[in-house]
Amino acid sequence: MFNPDIIKPENLVYKRTNVLTDAVMHYCPGCGHGTIHRIIAEVIEEMGIQDKAICIAPVGCSVLAYNYFNVDSLGAAHGRAPAIASAIQRLHPNHHTFTYQGDGDLAAIGTGETIHACNRGENIVIIFVNNGIYGMTGGQMAPTTLLGMKTATTPYGRCVELNGYPLQITELLADLPGTYYVTRQSVQTPAAVRKAKKAIRQAFENQKNHKGTSFVEILSNCNSGWKKTPVEANKWMEENMMAKYVPGDIKVDGVKVR
Amino acid sequence: MAIKGAIVIDTERCKGCSVCVGACPNQVIALSKNVNGKGYNYAEATKDDCIGCASCAMVCPDGVITVYKAKL
Ligand code: SF4
Ligand code: SF4
């Protein structure tokens, strides 16, 4: 232990938020899901909305998200989180209903629910974790899998002839009039985490002001699915994922910015 | 006046992913040769150069790092 003399409550600058439960997360070592959970929880704590936050958990790796967020939660059928969130937020218009969904959940089986909730401009926050693969089921191709990327179901790499193009659902959603805020973030470095947290805060603030749908995509590594170490996976994400899924704001205050 | 930091890592919950190691501007953290109850080589501070910037804590997926900072 170094500098034990400064380890005192008055010198505390960072500790795990109580909006996360004490449960040990089941995610693989280095997986971005844990970081994304934590910054959402920190935003909820900082805004003082723990008793008003309602998490709609998906199917996929983050199916157990309700074990980790110390807020009211509900598990949706696969892909249906935005539909459930729409109903709950309409019934509790001053609460903060948010969905937490991966690419398989949101951009494959849940594409319809996602598009229609965004098109209706439901006053919900959608957190979309994009790691370009189906993690939980063993690393199969997802709609967001990059061209050339090897997965369990594209062993020679994704090719257009067989598998079509990677789906940039976030850009698509920005074109809908119901979305008020659409952004793409990531969590592989301290600076990126801070930015992603700011974006999540913005989304919840928009919801507080009844602005419509706020959609935050967060690029994350699936190091097991990508068959890399966590550090290599983050680097691979910066070099490959970010070339296709360019980080930054796409729509701010209801106006497209790119 | 110098700024000094200190980190406390909940080593039993650390998964040894190493993401914090590269995030530290002062190369304070390394994985231990020892393992925790789950068999992971846990992260630990290896020198006295922490400035309490919390970069490591910011990227830790399991939120196991607590950070302190003081002006000495
Ligand atoms: S608080 Fe900053 S300086 Fe200290 S160990 Fe963490 S990253 Fe390094
Ligand atoms: S980032 Fe967290 S879980 Fe990973 S090695 Fe560092 S302290 Fe352990």
Side-chain angles (χ1 to χ4, degrees):
Chain A
M1 177 78 65
F2 293 91
N3 304 323
D5 40 313
I6 67 167
I7 298 175
K8 303 184 237 187
E10 64 268 32
N11 294 334
L12 181 74
V13 286
Y14 189 89
K15 82 179 223 314
R16 186 184 160 93
T17 166
N18 291 329
V19 177
L20 288 177
T21 64
D22 285 336
V24 174
M25 294 185 196
H26 71 283
Y27 301 116
C28 304
C31 169
H33 271 304
T35 310
I36 301 167
H37 282 17
R38 183 165 47 76
I39 55 178
I40 294 171
E42 286 173 7
V43 167
I44 291 173
E45 179 179 32
E46 284 160 23
M47 288 178 71
I49 55 170
Q50 189 175 7
D51 56 340
K52 286 187 180 162
I54 303 169
C55 170
I56 313 298
V59 171
C61 285
S62 45
V63 64
L64 300 175
Y66 44 74
N67 284 344
Y68 308 135
F69 288 111
N70 204 354
V71 303
D72 286 335
S73 303
L74 196 140
H78 205 178
R80 277 48 175 169
I84 308 277
S86 300
I88 293 183
Q89 186 64 25
R90 284 182 183 207
L91 291 167
H92 302 281
N94 294 316
H95 279 57
H96 286 276
T97 314
F98 67 98
T99 73
Y100 187 100
Q101 304 173 261
D103 41 83
D105 189 85
L106 181 141
I109 193 167
T111 314
E113 283 74 9
T114 304
I115 289 182
H116 285 291
C118 289
N119 194 46
R120 292 192 302 270
E122 299 288 346
N123 192 36
I124 58 176
V125 173
I126 297 178
I127 309 289
F128 168 42
V129 181
N130 181 4
N131 55 20
I133 205 162
Y134 279 84
M136 186 180 78
T137 46
Q140 293 84 358
M141 188 193 87
T144 50
T145 297
L146 299 175
L147 289 179
M149 188 172 157
K150 288 187 177 144
T151 68
T153 44
T154 55
Y156 305 109
R158 180 177 188 162
C159 71
V160 172
E161 295 74 26
L162 264 182
N163 315 112
Y165 295 93
L167 180 60
Q168 287 182 294
I169 193 158
T170 304
E171 275 78 359
L172 216 107
L173 296 170
D175 278 334
L176 301 175
T179 49
Y180 184 74
Y181 178 50
V182 179
T183 186
R184 181 179 290 119
Q185 303 290 331
S186 62
V187 288
Q188 79 289 11
T189 62
V193 173
R194 289 195 167 92
K195 261 185 84 194
K197 185 174 162 185
K198 252 192 210 148
I200 293 168
R201 172 80 187 237
Q202 186 60 53
F204 280 104
E205 294 287 353
N206 293 341
Q207 188 180 37
K208 195 176 189 176
N209 297 323
H210 302 272
K211 295 292 191 186
T213 312
S214 290
F215 189 94
V216 183
E217 171 177 346
I218 304 181
L219 298 174
S220 171
N221 79 66
C222 172
N223 55 74
S224 311
W226 298 355
K227 312 219 182 306
K228 294 179 175 19
T229 68
V231 172
E232 284 166 8
N234 279 336
K235 194 156 173 279
W236 187 89
M237 182 177 88
E238 284 179 341
E239 289 165 359
N240 297 277
M241 292 283 281
M242 287 184 177
K244 177 75 183 164
Y245 303 108
V246 180
D249 289 340
I250 298 166
K251 193 175 190 181
V252 179
D253 296 347
V255 180
K256 278 182 74 175
V257 292
R258 73 153 125 117
Chain B
M1 199 160 58
I3 291 180
K4 272 280 161 206
I7 54 169
V8 177
I9 299 177
D10 185 344
T11 51
E12 272 311 305
R13 297 171 68 109
C14 168
K15 292 180 184 162
C17 71
S18 220
V19 173
C20 57
V21 173
C24 176
N26 287 351
Q27 292 83 41
V28 168
I29 308 174
L31 295 191
S32 173
K33 284 199 279 297
N34 301 320
V35 295
N36 63 17
K38 290 240 169 75
Y40 294 122
N41 294 92
Y42 53 83
E44 62 183 4
T46 57
K47 50 182 182 170
D48 189 20
D49 297 334
C50 175
I51 49 167
C53 68
S55 293
C56 53
M58 208 46 68
V59 294
C60 173
D62 288 88
V64 303
I65 307 179
T66 309
V67 185
Y68 298 86
K69 179 156 99 175
K71 285 184 187 145
L72 298 178

